[in-house]
């Protein structure tokens, strides 16, 4: 039957391995049923390659097959990680913390990982129920673990699950450990090499004690407890979108002193099928619809929602017409930093040794605000692990205030070393209380920021180029931009190009080529180009590292004289971004 299907050679080879190898009978029966059904497409997709374990872990659709998330692909990843840990920390007691989210099979995969690590002589701290990703980051450091694992596919559709690896500082793995772990995982070529039989005495169950410590850490980030006390009745609507946020966000807000939090009940129960949304992603308006409708019904002051593993948060505010709008990631990150810098200054906490951090594709408004406050702003490559790397490099020398990235991930304080939607929800609630105490709305607060520092607006164009030909096209596009950089963008002269592949900066006015400042701090060589113009426009080209895409980020800037011109100014900036897309032929 298998030969009659005329499968891809690699797929056929992998299928034969699964049929003949030391796989459980239920898996073999399911595979045989799939073969008997004659579904060539599904068989090919499931077996044409091994699910790639990248530098941060892996992510894929659930199901049987070498290219799917299942006990065997999770097993190979964990065995490779165990082998690496035993090499690096030879002769030491090795400890690993594991957490998982609400996705289908997350608890099972967490237990499988725990069993395999314990079978390899490693002590495991396994959460007894689902917990947020940032709490795992905190736990790694709190328990002095050598590594951590989170079973999650973040905000991907319900068909997916994934596996993220953390190092002993609580951040996702960076060089050299990332590539070394990948090599060890790829070396697992036979299912017999995976030690599935766990050692119970090496697996420690954790829960309430770590919850209390994590919540205490979240509470410690509050800058103005007095403001919170005065605005304890602030009306907050929260949705965990069927994820882990329900375990910590309401508790964190209550601990800070907020007494009027309304949870979207239809989305409160953790459920890996995410029954009320198409995508469990707070970046999508559809996923936020129920929260926004509830906010309108009760006349709330704030809407917040977290993704399944609670590392990202979406935020809704009322406009002057009383309608609810969602802030994008750049706006929310800017508002958080704007408030933090104000609050730290008022509290007398700015000493000249503080810093914020963001990625190079995140709004430059944060740089402008930090400069005005006398606070350093470090820019890193895309990926929160690089922000965590800066925090680690500066530990004991400078104090981290907060940071973020345009993709809805923010961090306040250094107790956690990854995006933290729990702490972000707490800080967003605090800044909302601050605005209300001043007698202004969040929209007024946003307008105040833009009036003071300029109205920054960012657009994103993502172009998909599939297959070998597509990959070649993307490389050619990057080569063309390097060889023939635009002389002007939207009528404004290009004055500088930053090339993160060479870590070199070219000044087009003088022709001088220098190293990108701070280039070695949280920055690796990466195929990214940025162009800057005289009017403050920033244009970034970045091929995706995980998808067949090239992304173009466009940042423009205008002036906001008063909040009544907010809509017209925003419309003008959007038009400018659209004209740049056409001018540079990015569509």
């Amino acid at each position: 039957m298998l030969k009659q299907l005329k499968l891809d050679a690699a797929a056929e080879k992998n299928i034969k391995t699964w049929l003949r190898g030391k796989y459980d009978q239920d898996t073999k029966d399911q595979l045989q049923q799939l073969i008997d059904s004659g579904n060539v497409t599904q068989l090919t997709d499931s077996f044409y390659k091994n699910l790639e374990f990248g530098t941060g872990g892996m992510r894929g659709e659930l199901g049987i097959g070498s290219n799917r998330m299942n006990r065997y692909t999770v097993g190979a990843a964990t065995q490779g990680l165990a082998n690496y840990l035993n090499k690096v920390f030879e002769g030491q007691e090795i400890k690993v913390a594991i957490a998982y989210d609400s996705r289908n099979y997350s608890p099972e995969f967490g237990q499988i990982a725990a069993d395999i690590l314990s079978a390899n002589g490693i002590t495991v701290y396994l959460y007894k129920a689902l917990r947020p990703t940032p709490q795992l980051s905190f736990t790694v450091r709190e328990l002095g673990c050598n590594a951590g694992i989170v079973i999650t596919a973040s905000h991907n559709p319900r068909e997916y699950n994934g596996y993220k690896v953390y190092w002993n500082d609580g951040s996702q793995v960076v060089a050299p450990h990332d590539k070394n772990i990948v090599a060890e995982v790829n070396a697992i070529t036979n299912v017999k090499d995976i030690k599935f039989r766990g050692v119970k005495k090496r697996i420690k169950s954790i829960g309430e004690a770590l919850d209390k410590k994590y919540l205490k850490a979240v509470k410690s980030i509050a800058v103005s407890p007095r403001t919170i006390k005065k605005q304890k009745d602030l009306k907050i609507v929260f949705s965990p979108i069927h994820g882990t946020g329900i375990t910590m966000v309401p508790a964190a807000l209550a601990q800070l002193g907020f007494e009027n939090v309304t949870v979207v009940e239809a989305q409160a129960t953790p459920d890996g099928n995410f029954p009320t949304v198409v995508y469990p992603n707070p970046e999508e308006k559809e996923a936020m619809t129920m929260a926004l409708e509830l906010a309108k019904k009760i006349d709330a002051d704030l809407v917040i929602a977290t993704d399944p593993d609670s590392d990202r948060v979406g935020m809704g505010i009322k406009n002057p017409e009383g309608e609810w709008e969602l802030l994008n990631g750049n706006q929310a990150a800017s508002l958080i930093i704007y408030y933090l810098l104000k609050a730290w200054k008022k509290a007398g906490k700015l000493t000249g040794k503080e810093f914020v951090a963001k990625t190079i594709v995140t709004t430059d408004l944060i740089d402008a605000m930090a400069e005005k406050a006398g606070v350093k702003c470090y820019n890193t490559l895309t990926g929160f692990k690089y922000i965590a790397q800066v925090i680690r490099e500066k530990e004991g020398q400078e104090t981290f205030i907060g940071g973020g990235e345009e993709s809805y991930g923010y961090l306040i304080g250094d107790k956690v070393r990854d995006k933290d939607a729990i702490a972000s929800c707490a800080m967003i609630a605090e800044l909302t209380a601050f605005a209300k105490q001043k007698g202004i709305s969040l929209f007024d607060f946003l307008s105040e920021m833009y009036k003071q520092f300029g109205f920054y607006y960012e657009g994103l164009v993502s172009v998909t180029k599939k297959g070998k030909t597509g990959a070649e096209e993307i490389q050619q596009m990057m080569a063309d931009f390097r060889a023939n950089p635009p002389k002007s963008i939207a009528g404004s002269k290009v004055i500088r190009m930053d090339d993160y592949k060479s870590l070199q900066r070219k000044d087009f006015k003088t022709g001088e080529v220098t190293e990108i400042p701070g280039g070695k701090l949280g920055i690796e060589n990466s195929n990214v180009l940025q162009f800057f113009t005289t009017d403050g426009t920033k244009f970034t080209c970045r091929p995706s590292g995980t998808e067949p895409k090239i992304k173009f980020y466009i940042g423009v800037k205008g002036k906001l004289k008063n909040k009544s011109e907010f809509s017209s100014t925003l419309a003008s900036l959007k038009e400018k971004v659209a004209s740049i897309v056409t001018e540079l032929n990015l569509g």
Side-chain angles (χ1 to χ4, degrees), residues 197-258:
R197 188 172 293 178
V199 179
K200 286 186 178 180
K201 67 179 182 181
R202 292 200 184 106
I203 302 175
K204 319 291 184 184
S205 180
I206 54 174
E208 189 176 339
L210 267 297
D211 293 346
K212 289 178 179 177
K213 289 182 178 180
Y214 173 64
L215 286 170
K216 184 179 179 182
V218 173
K219 186 178 182 181
S220 72
I221 68 169
V223 190
S224 184
R226 289 178 64 187
T227 298
I228 295 172
K229 192 173 183 180
K230 290 175 182 176
Q231 294 296 332
K232 63 182 182 179
D233 292 325
L234 191 78
K235 285 186 184 177
I236 302 169
V237 168
F238 167 67
S239 173
I241 315 181
H242 304 289
T244 60
I246 193 65
T247 66
M248 288 294 137
V249 172
L253 293 173
Q255 187 171 259
L256 281 167
F258 292 105

Side-chain angles (χ1 to χ4, degrees), residues 243-364:
T244 60
I246 193 65
T247 66
M248 288 294 137
V249 172
L253 293 173
Q255 187 171 259
L256 281 167
F258 292 105
E259 299 178 358
N260 195 359
V261 179
T262 305
V263 176
V264 180
E265 287 301 324
Q267 297 179 326
T269 303
D271 189 335
N273 292 315
F274 308 112
T276 65
V277 297
V278 178
Y279 297 107
N281 184 356
E283 297 179 48
E284 302 285 342
K285 188 171 184 178
E286 181 269 337
M288 300 282 284
T289 300
M290 284 187 169
L292 293 171
E293 287 175 351
L294 179 57
K296 190 171 184 178
K297 182 179 178 182
I298 69 171
D299 191 27
D301 297 298
L302 172 68
V303 169
I304 43 178
T306 51
D307 68 342
D309 69 320
S310 297
D311 63 352
R312 298 170 193 248
V313 58
M315 175 182 177
I317 69 173
K318 269 189 292 191
N319 65 22
E321 288 73 45
E323 296 298 319
W324 283 90
E325 293 183 3
L326 297 178
L327 296 189
N328 63 39
N330 281 305
Q331 289 173 318
S334 298
L335 208 51
I336 289 169
I337 298 300
Y338 180 56
Y339 169 69
L340 282 170
L341 293 174
K342 272 179 170 292
W344 275 56
K345 183 178 180 181
K346 186 177 180 181
K349 295 175 66 176
L350 294 182
T351 67
K353 292 186 177 181
E354 291 73 33
F355 72 96
V356 297
K358 68 179 188 67
T359 63
I360 57 175
V361 297
T362 301
T363 179
D364 288 344

